[in-house]
Amino acid sequence: MTAVIAGGATTELRWRVNHVGSMLSTRARLEADVRTGLVASPPTLPPRWFYDERGSRLFDEITRLPEYYPTRRETEILAARANEIAIRSEASTLVELGSGTSAKTRLLLDALTAYAPDLLFVPLDVSVEVLTEAAVEIAGRYRDIAVDALVADFGDPLPPLPGDEGRRLVAFFGGTIGNFQTHERHAFLDRVRQAMAPGDHLLLGADLIKDPNRLLAAYDDSRGVTAEFNLNLIEVLTRELDGRGVRPNDFAHVARWNADKHRMEMWLRARCDIDAIFAAIDLPWVLPAGAEILTEISVKFDLGALHKELRAHGFAVTAGWMDRRGDYSLSLLRAI
Ligand code: SAH
Ligand code: TRP
C-alpha cells in the first residue's frame, strides 16, 4: 500500500511524504507487539515505539548531550569523508534508513549535490512528524533535489528502491544497526542487499566496543534525558492503548553493559507492584516490583568482525573509517 500523505511544490513536485507498508494500522501493530512482548521472558518491547513526536525530540536532545559521543563522532568522520564518498559512490540517489532529522546527512547532501545537483533523496523513518519536517527543510535548502520521503518500518520488506541501478547510496547512520538482535540484523542486511543492485553502495555507521564506563554514561546521562526517553515508552503505551493504573514514574531507567554480548541494554524496572489494564484492548498487565522490561539493545562492534559479516551478506568493503579516538566507524560498502 502506498498513499501520499503530504506533499509540497512550487512549479514542480519537490517533496512528498508517502506511507509504505502493511495494511496493519499502527494501533494493530502496537497491540500485537504488546500482547507478545509483555509475556515474553524477559518482557521486551520493540524500540520503534520510542519514537512518537515527543520521543523523537528527546532523541534529538540525546544526540547533543556531552556524554552521548556517537553523533559527534559520526559527524567528524562524515565531515572528513563526504567528498570521497560522493566520488566513490557516484550516487544520484541517496536513501537514508531511520533518517530522523537527517541533521548529519546535510554534510553528505552538500558533497553529493556538488556532483549530482538533481539528486533524489529518499529518507525513510517510522516517525512521520520528524520525517515531514526534515523533508520540507531539505527541499527548501537544496533547490534542485527532489525529496521522496517514506513512512515505513525498516523491519518490513523494503519498497523497491528508486533511482539508477549502480548509482544508489543507502545510508544507515546513528549506530542503529546495533539496535537489532543478531538474527534480526542478518535478516535486515539480507533485505537491504536484495533491494540494492550490484554497484550500489551502503554507508553504515557502527559504534565500536570501548570502556564500559563511557558507554554507561552515554546511555544514562547526568541530566536524565535518556531516562526520560526510555520512560516515554510507558507514555506511548498508556496513551495509545488507554492504560489505566500505570504511570511512567512507576518505572526506573536502567542502563547496563552486557559484556558477553558486547551490548548496552536499556531496561525499565518496576518501582512498585503494577496492576494495570490496557482498556483499549482489554489486556491486564501485572508486574511485581523489581521486574524489568528490556526496551533496547545497542550492540557495540569489532570492526573486523563487522566487515566479515558484511562480506558474507554480499558486500565488498570499499573503505572503513574511524574518528580520531577510534570510538565509532563509518564503512562504505559496494553491493557485489
Ligand atoms: N539517523 C538518525 C536517527 C537515529 S535514531 C541519527 O543518526 O541521529 C533511530 C531512528 O530510526 C529514529 O529516527 C527512529 O524514528 C527510526 N526508527 C526506529 N525504529 C524504526 C523502524 N523499525 N523502522 C524505521 N525507522 C525506525
Ligand atoms: N540508536 C541509538 C543507540 O543505540 C538509540 C539510543 C540512544 C537509545 N540512546 C538510547 C535507545 C537510550 C534507548 C535508550 O545509540
Side-chain angles (χ1 to χ4, degrees):
M1 180 191 69
T2 299
V4 179
I5 56 177
T10 42
T11 50
E12 55 182 316
L13 190 59
R14 302 237 10 264
W15 68 269
R16 58 181 184 178
V17 181
N18 284 354
H19 238 292
V20 184
S22 71
M23 298 293 289
L24 211 57
S25 67
T26 305
R27 233 301 283 287
R29 184 148 203 166
L30 178 60
E31 173 174 351
D33 284 349
V34 166
R35 283 190 187 278
T36 50
L38 292 184
V39 296
S41 162
T44 310
L45 287 167
R48 70 170 76 84
W49 302 112
F50 282 127
Y51 297 95
D52 68 339
E53 188 163 5
R54 177 162 181 268
S56 298
R57 311 256 172 248
L58 284 168
F59 181 76
D60 202 40
E61 235 181 285
I62 288 176
T63 65
R64 289 190 294 269
L65 291 170
E67 297 97 331
Y68 194 74
Y69 60 86
T71 308
R72 278 185 299 278
R73 300 296 182 264
E74 192 166 51
T75 304
E76 176 190 324
I77 306 170
L78 263 179
R81 303 295 177 177
N83 189 52
E84 190 175 341
I85 293 163
I87 291 171
R88 286 185 186 250
S89 67
E90 297 182 57
S92 56
T93 301
L94 173 64
V95 178
E96 183 180 9
L97 303 176
S99 49
T101 60
S102 290
K104 283 167 289 194
T105 313
R106 283 147 221 223
L107 291 166
L108 195 55
L109 289 170
D110 289 343
L112 293 174
T113 52
Y115 301 92
D118 56 349
L119 187 84
L120 173 61
F121 179 46
V122 185
L124 181 154
D125 205 284
V126 280
S127 182
V128 59
E129 298 88 358
V130 172
L131 187 63
T132 306
E133 254 177 53
V136 173
E137 229 273 313
I138 287 170
R141 182 189 297 228
Y142 299 87
R143 305 306 303 184
D144 291 326
I145 77 174
V147 182
D148 204 351
L150 302 176
V151 183
D153 192 312
F154 52 53
D156 291 339
L158 290 171
L161 298 186
D164 306 326
E165 291 193 1
R167 295 194 58 197
R168 303 184 188 108
L169 177 60
V170 178
F172 196 35
F173 292 140
T176 309
I177 188 75
N179 299 139
F180 294 111
Q181 301 276 350
T182 308
H183 67 280
E184 293 170 338
R185 185 173 73 242
H186 288 298
F188 171 80
L189 289 172
D190 280 340
R191 277 200 309 279
V192 170
R193 175 62 192 83
Q194 285 313 310
M196 294 168 71
D200 288 345
H201 285 79
L202 173 66
L203 184 62
L204 181 67
D207 199 12
L208 302 175
I209 296 170
K210 59 182 57 62
D211 177 2
N213 289 318
R214 290 183 55 216
L215 291 168
L216 288 165
Y219 290 90
D220 192 6
D221 65 282
S222 59
R223 280 176 44 205
V225 180
T226 310
E228 239 186 287
F229 178 72
N230 198 1
L231 292 167
N232 185 53
L233 196 58
I234 303 297
E235 194 85 48
V236 171
L237 292 192
T238 54
R239 182 186 63 228
E240 297 298 323
L241 300 177
D242 191 12
R244 312 210 177 148
V246 60
R247 293 162 309 131
N249 271 347
D250 296 337
F251 290 87
H253 166 67
V254 178
R256 223 177 257 140
W257 170 243
N258 182 328
D260 291 335
K261 297 183 171 170
H262 44 87
R263 67 188 198 192
M264 285 301 299
E265 295 176 352
M266 266 55 74
W267 297 81
L268 288 171
R269 182 195 293 144
R271 301 169 62 192
C272 54
D273 291 334
I274 307 286
D275 187 358
I277 182 161
F278 294 112
I281 57 172
D282 211 18
L283 180 74
W285 189 27
V286 177
L287 207 62
E292 294 181 340
I293 312 164
L294 181 61
T295 57
E296 180 80 296
I297 60 166
S298 192
V299 174
K300 306 305 165 189
F301 293 91
D302 168 84
L303 191 53
L306 179 61
H307 283 174
K308 189 172 168 206
E309 180 175 317
L310 288 158
R311 283 189 198 99
H313 283 280
F315 293 100
V317 180
T318 301
W321 302 289
M322 283 190 279
D323 60 283
R324 280 184 304 263
R325 287 191 68 172
D327 283 340
Y328 192 92
S329 68
L330 192 64
S331 300
L332 184 65
L333 307 135
R334 187 167 39 82
I336 49 174

